[in-house]
Amino acid sequence: MEQAASNKNTYLALAVIVLSVLVWLSITSSPKSHVLPNDPHVVSTTVSETRKPADPPKQTGDVPVDSPSNVMIGKAGFARKINAIFTTRKKAVVYQALVKYEPVDVPSDEVPGIKEILQYYGRQGRELPRTLKRVDQEMEMSSENLGVPLRFVASTKLYVNPDGGKVVAYDMAQTTGGQPQRMVGHLNKTGMAIEVYRGGTLDDKQEITFVRDTFIPVEYSFIHQWYETPENREALKKREQVKFSIFVPESMAQVLLLVKPMDDQVIAVGDATYDCAHYEVITVSTQSASGLSAKQEMWFDKQTRVLMRRQDFDASMADAEAPVTDLEPYSRIEQLGRLSLLPVSAPATPNHGIDYLLDQDLDYTVKARGEPIGEVRVQFSKFEIGGKVPPFMPSKLSVKPTYFSTSRVRVDTGGSLRNEIAVTLYDAKWKVIHYETHGEENTGVKLNYDIEAKIENETIRVHTHRDALLELKASAAYQGAIASAEVGSQFTGGDDDRAWRDPLKRVPVSDDDAKSQESDTGPRMLDHSWSRPFPDEIYISDFNRVEHLALVAAQISIPPLPEKETDPVKLAYQKIALYLVRQNRCGVLLIETRPEPKPILTERQKKRRTNDELKEPPLYVANVTAAMMPCRMLLSGDGRVLELSMQYGSGDVTYTLDDPIMRHRDEAAKKRQLQEGPRLVRPPWW
């Protein structure tokens, strides 16, 4: 399960910093559902030129030029005409850019998954043209990520049906300098079929079922165009909210865009001003009911209908700090030279301890897609000479531990069996000073694995090792795996770019290659060591580490309960810097906490409540929507993690604590099901 979770979590972690990703979660009132006129998937495949500044520069996007030497994108400008360039800034720091090229014609047989796409059109009695349009775009982002310089580069190819402008397939590659991730998707009868590659190796397959009228946007001018059509002018006048369902390839997620017109504004972009239509865009994930919300605002030039500016708001930051994305007038490629590192520092936390969890057996049942697959037992103890000691200890420690946690994991997914034991040592302030886990997995081949992380002097040093058992060490498969083992986790800056793996140069893959990779069951060996800066306010986590997230949960702010059922729900926010050990990924998570939603009862239902129901303690829901680690925690008032749901791709893994509160909830749910009885599902013609 760790390998599958690692693969899925890796491309999720990368997707968070892609320019066009719109994965904020929210609950709002249900708006009127609309579709675009004629064809709901009509999306322009070109970007009109913006109104030119009064004093145009001598060099424009029509002139093939090379991009500045400090960036990796825009190099195709020698042979391709650049259509548009967007830059993103936070305050005065320009840290992200998107280069979009003019569409080119491609034969249909070059489109990924063309056989299923033809079947999709055939079922609808339509034909796909022999020549399609391909829209290429490249994105680069740089940051000083919690002490480590980080560069992220992505390349996306969208294959568009010129008859209606519908995206039928895409090919996207992205990397932070390590082994590139590549996602290739195409339409099928239910939605989107996706293959995920790590380098040239088929890593995962996904099938996403689309809700009605879902499409992949080439750009977001369709928002303004919808309100500009004559039949929708009344909706614009009344400022009615409109709903669009889109699919975001970067995160493999369906998203509802809830769009509402705002007052028109005149904005300055570059050295010109533009009279713009102004919209508020709330996003809702169709794959989550967590209730987290955020918003964007978009400005479209009234003359050209082009998106001129977008601003992404965050509930935890002031509006003045919200990132702003602008269209660069004239698509001047030299503007890419403005990119610099965006400083990202670890936020302050309350530094609460978890002494209240000492000397308890915390038993969690692990479920995947609702089915039990294993157990996790966690224990927190005080480190005392002559008292309790961990199952294993490092030979040298610069700081004497005050507390330690032990976690025993057994997971059986049917295709793999995993047993592991993990020990984490903490100082007197509950700061992690050492983490170590040893385990064995059996996926047809038995392998041992070890992970060790040592933290001292604001530096973390990690060593991971996977090794076959003794009886396999002499095998040819083992020797071959050792010979071909390839290290590549993350670009850490510096002047030497020779180790960079460029996603703009794709590794060839084919159906035959994919099938051969699927049948390859040889053991994979990894033996990596790395270190990185580790400021004091960073927390750690790893796969199946409920104990690590219990410490994170202790830092979460708990909002007050509403005094009346009709009172608005109060929310609390907390930012946490988290480091994922095995993935070597670090970032800042925004955690939103709210009282657990309760159904509004009638007076009759209130009178029928039992004493146990009246005595139920208040619970709280903490949501994390960052693509690095999307999860949901159900917390008790004292901060215990009663349930943890980790989202991996289109699935999830849930850890449920064996606790009187959770047992009562389970019994109450079964009782309600019996009271409601079987539901009669009638056909629509009944």
Side-chain angles (χ1 to χ4, degrees), residues 111-233:
V111 178
I114 186 60
K115 292 182 180 179
E116 281 198 282
I117 297 172
L118 291 173
Q119 293 173 1
Y120 168 85
Y121 277 87
R123 291 187 183 92
Q124 300 178 7
R126 296 190 294 163
E127 292 186 359
L128 187 71
R130 293 185 177 181
T131 301
L132 280 73
K133 295 286 185 180
R134 194 187 75 209
V135 179
D136 296 352
Q137 57 189 34
E138 301 163 355
M139 195 280 289
E140 182 168 339
M141 190 277 282
S142 57
S143 66
E144 182 80 23
N145 185 31
L146 300 170
V148 176
L150 177 68
R151 176 190 286 177
F152 175 84
V153 178
S155 168
T156 304
K157 301 177 184 294
L158 300 174
Y159 296 86
V160 184
N161 181 357
D163 296 341
K166 183 172 184 176
V167 176
V168 300
Y170 65 86
D171 184 346
M172 180 177 64
Q174 52 193 19
T175 186
T176 54
Q179 200 172 44
Q181 295 284 325
R182 185 176 174 188
M183 288 177 273
V184 183
H186 64 268
L187 290 176
N188 63 9
K189 61 181 179 181
T190 59
M192 186 68 61
I194 305 166
E195 293 179 339
V196 181
Y197 296 87
R198 184 189 297 271
T201 303
L202 180 64
D203 213 32
D204 187 30
K205 286 187 176 183
Q206 295 279 337
E207 286 213 11
I208 308 296
T209 301
F210 281 0
V211 299
R212 186 177 179 181
D213 297 324
T214 298
F215 63 99
I216 299 175
V218 177
E219 56 187 30
Y220 292 94
S221 58
F222 68 87
I223 291 174
H224 181 54
Q225 291 172 7
W226 188 91
Y227 282 102
E228 285 289 290
T229 56
E231 60 267 32
N232 296 323
R233 290 291 176 86

Side-chain angles (χ1 to χ4, degrees), residues 17 252 255 382 407 485 516 611 637 674 685:
I17 47 183
M252 298 196 302
V255 174
K382 198 161 186 176
S407 177
S516 65
N611 289 332
L674 290 174
W685 45 262

